Structure formats: C-alpha cells, structure tokens
Amino acid sequence: MTLEIRPDDPSSPAVRALVTAHLAGMFANTPAESVHALDVDGLAADGIRMWSAWVDGDLAGIGACKDLGADRAELKSMRVVDAFLGRGVGRAILRRIVDDARERGIESLWLETGSTDDFVPARRLYLSEGFEECGPFPPYAADPLSTFMTRRL
C-alpha cells in the first residue's frame, strides 16, 4: 500500500463527501450539543491546516489541526474511510500533523474525542502516540460523552 499524505482543501469533492459522512455519523450517534466535529466551512477557516491521505488515487482519510494561540493547537476532524480502517492511515495522518505542529513551533497538541465504546480505537491510537487524558480545555466544558487529551511536543 502506497500512502500519500498532502495538504488539502476541504471543499474538494472527495474530501467534502467524507466530511459530510463523518458529520452524519456523529449526529446519528451523539446528541448535537456533544458533537464538536467541524463542517467543511469550519475546516476552511483561518488557522486550520488540513491533510488528506490517499492510497492509489482513493481518499483514505483526513485530519486537521486548529491553532489555539499561545503555542497550542487542537487536533480536529480525524476520520479514516471504513475500507482503510486498521491499515495505519489514521496513525500516518496523526504523525504528519504532529510533525507539522513541531515545525511551526507548537508546544502542545490537544484534542476532544468521544468517550463511548465507538471511540475506543481512536483513544487507543492517541494514547499509543503519547497523548494523555486531561480535563476540558477552552472552549470545551466537561461532558460525559467527551474525552479530552493532550501531548507536549
């Protein structure tokens, strides 16, 4: 499998379709007040860097990083296409985001993910890549459906 990770535009057709599917899945399984995933417009906002992963011309996943100021950034909108789950795509995107953050002088990365069983694979990935659970960080409030994590770079 040849994996290419590149900066991307969230409005490109393939990425837009994946973001739309990602949001639909979030809203189907989580109350709206606990969904923190960004839509296409949110991913296109200033201060957000987005990447896509491609395998043999097929979109395999996406991930983004949102600047929080004060040398901090937040991991956003990590999603792997179902056909590519378990093949290292999410880990590769995460590592690319971490490398880019380091290059830009970011000192810590933060994230919010789900706390239910559906999110166990995501939490395991983040833990295996050096993230640790923490309390909520701005702009989040405590939520039993959220797990918050951080990692020093």
Side-chain angles (χ1 to χ4, degrees):
M1 174 176 92
T2 302
L3 180 65
E4 175 193 1
I5 299 175
R6 61 183 185 225
D8 210 337
D9 175 358
S11 67
S12 69
V15 172
R16 179 181 287 277
L18 182 54
V19 170
T20 300
H22 178 60
L23 285 170
M26 295 292 102
F27 283 108
N29 298 309
T30 306
E33 64 273 10
S34 294
V35 174
H36 305 290
L38 295 175
D39 62 13
V40 170
D41 290 338
L43 289 168
D46 288 340
I48 302 225
R49 298 166 76 96
M50 183 176 174
W51 289 266
S52 58
W54 299 81
V55 175
D56 300 325
D58 293 323
L59 179 62
I62 57 171
C65 188
K66 177 182 179 181
D67 288 338
L68 297 176
D71 302 323
R72 298 169 58 230
E74 179 183 1
L75 188 66
K76 295 296 293 180
S77 300
M78 290 284 294
R79 178 64 182 222
V80 174
V81 173
D82 288 349
F84 294 98
L85 289 171
R87 296 171 64 184
V89 172
R91 185 175 306 277
I93 294 169
L94 177 58
R95 287 180 176 174
R96 179 64 189 107
I97 291 170
V98 168
D99 289 346
D100 179 73
R102 269 197 193 109
E103 291 167 10
R104 295 184 299 120
I106 299 296
E107 295 180 5
S108 61
L109 279 176
W110 302 77
L111 66 88
E112 179 277 336
T113 192
S115 62
T116 61
D117 289 347
D118 296 350
F119 294 92
V120 166
R123 293 193 307 271
R124 283 184 183 150
L125 169 64
Y126 300 135
L127 288 168
S128 74
E129 290 292 323
F131 284 83
E132 298 175 345
E133 288 192 26
C134 64
F137 56 95
Y140 300 101
D143 182 338
L145 296 178
S146 289
T147 297
F148 301 97
M149 304 178 92
T150 188
R151 176 184 168 177
R152 300 281 312 155
L153 302 182

